[in-house]
C-alpha cells in the first residue's frame, strides 16, 4: 500500500507542476468543461489534494501501526481538509482580487477634462481626461447641445452607451 501512496504523491505533484505551467493552455482547450464545473474543481487544486493524500498516506503508513483502511480514510480526510482550506482561503480571495488598475468608462462621470476635437452642437468630438490611473481619450457629445471648441475645459455630466455627455466647465 505504501507504494501506491508514493505513486500518488509523485504523480500528482508532477501533474500539478505540469498544470501550473500549461494550465492556461489546457483550460483554454477545455474551457466549456471548466465553465460548467466551476472554480471549485480547479485542476491545480485537485492535483494538490491528491499530493496531500499521497503524502499523508506515506507518513501515516510509515510512522504508525494503523490498519491500511484507516490510513486511507485519514489520508482522504486530510486531503479534503487541505482542499477546502486552500479553496476558501486562497482561491476565493485571489479570484475576488482586483486584477486591473484601469477604470471603467462609467467611473468618468464628474471628472474634468479638456476638449481635443471640437464637439459640434449635435455631433461628437473627443475629450482628454487625466486621472491617477492614467489618461484617456473618449468620444463625447455636448450635454447642452451647444458647440464646445477645442481646448475648452469640460466636466463629464453623464455616461450613456459608451459616450461621455459633457458640459463646458465655467468658474462661479
Amino acid at each position: 500500500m505504501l507504494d501506491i501512496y508514493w505513486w500518488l504523491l509523485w504523480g500528482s505533484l508532477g501533474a500539478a507542476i505540469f498544470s501550473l505551467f500549461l494550465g492556461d493552455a489546457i483550460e483554454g482547450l477545455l474551457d466549456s468543461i471548466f465553465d460548467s464545473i466551476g472554480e471549485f474543481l480547479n485542476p491545480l487544486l485537485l492535483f494538490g489534494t491528491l499530493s496531500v493524500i499521497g503524502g499523508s498516506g506515506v507518513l501515516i503508513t510509515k510512522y504508525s501501526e494503523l490498519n491500511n483502511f484507516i490510513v486511507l480514510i485519514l489520508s482522504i480526510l486530510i486531503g479534503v481538509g487541505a482542499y477546502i482550506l486552500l479553496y476558501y482561503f486562497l482561491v476565493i480571495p485571489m479570484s475576488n482580487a482586483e486584477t486591473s488598475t484601469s477604470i471603467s468608462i462609467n467611473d468618468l462621470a464628474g471628472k474634468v477634462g479638456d476638449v481635443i476635437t471640437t464637439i459640434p452642437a449635435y455631433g461628437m468630438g473627443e475629450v482628454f481626461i487625466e486621472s491617477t490611473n492614467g489618461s484617456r481619450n473618449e468620444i463625447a457629445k455636448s450635454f447642452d447641445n451647444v458647440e464646445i471648441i477645442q481646448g475648452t475645459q469640460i466636466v463629464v455630466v453623464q455616461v450613456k452607451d459608451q459616450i461621455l455627455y459633457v458640459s463646458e466647465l465655467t468658474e462661479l
Side-chain angles (χ1 to χ4, degrees), residues 19-166:
S19 176
L20 181 67
F21 290 117
L22 296 175
D24 289 338
I26 294 169
E27 190 172 337
L29 292 173
L30 304 173
D31 199 23
S32 61
I33 294 172
F34 287 127
D35 284 345
S36 63
I37 293 174
E39 258 184 27
F40 193 72
L41 293 179
N42 183 324
L44 194 56
L45 275 177
L46 288 174
F47 293 133
T49 301
L50 291 175
S51 298
V52 170
I53 291 170
S56 60
V58 166
L59 292 174
I60 295 171
T61 302
K62 193 169 187 178
Y63 296 112
S64 75
E65 299 292 325
L66 295 175
N67 182 350
N68 285 338
F69 181 73
I70 294 173
V71 171
L72 177 65
I73 297 299
L74 283 174
S75 299
I76 290 173
L77 289 175
I78 291 170
V80 169
Y83 187 94
I84 290 170
L85 286 173
L86 284 173
Y87 181 74
Y88 285 106
F89 292 110
L90 186 69
V91 173
I92 289 177
M94 294 297 283
S95 66
N96 292 335
E98 183 66 38
T99 58
S100 173
T101 58
S102 65
I103 59 172
S104 167
I105 192 168
N106 296 319
D107 296 334
L108 296 177
K111 301 285 185 192
V112 175
D114 297 306
V115 176
I116 57 175
T117 304
T118 299
I119 303 170
Y122 294 99
M124 292 189 211
E126 191 172 5
V127 295
F128 176 77
I129 298 176
E130 280 189 77
S131 71
T132 56
N133 296 337
S135 56
R136 54 196 290 173
N137 300 347
E138 295 291 340
I139 297 172
K141 288 180 96 171
S142 173
F143 183 76
D144 305 312
N145 293 327
V146 296
E147 181 180 54
I148 306 174
I149 60 171
Q150 181 180 1
T152 305
Q153 196 169 31
I154 53 92
V155 63
V156 179
V157 177
Q158 176 182 6
V159 179
K160 187 166 59 171
D161 298 328
Q162 304 296 314
I163 298 172
L164 304 181
Y165 286 84
V166 299

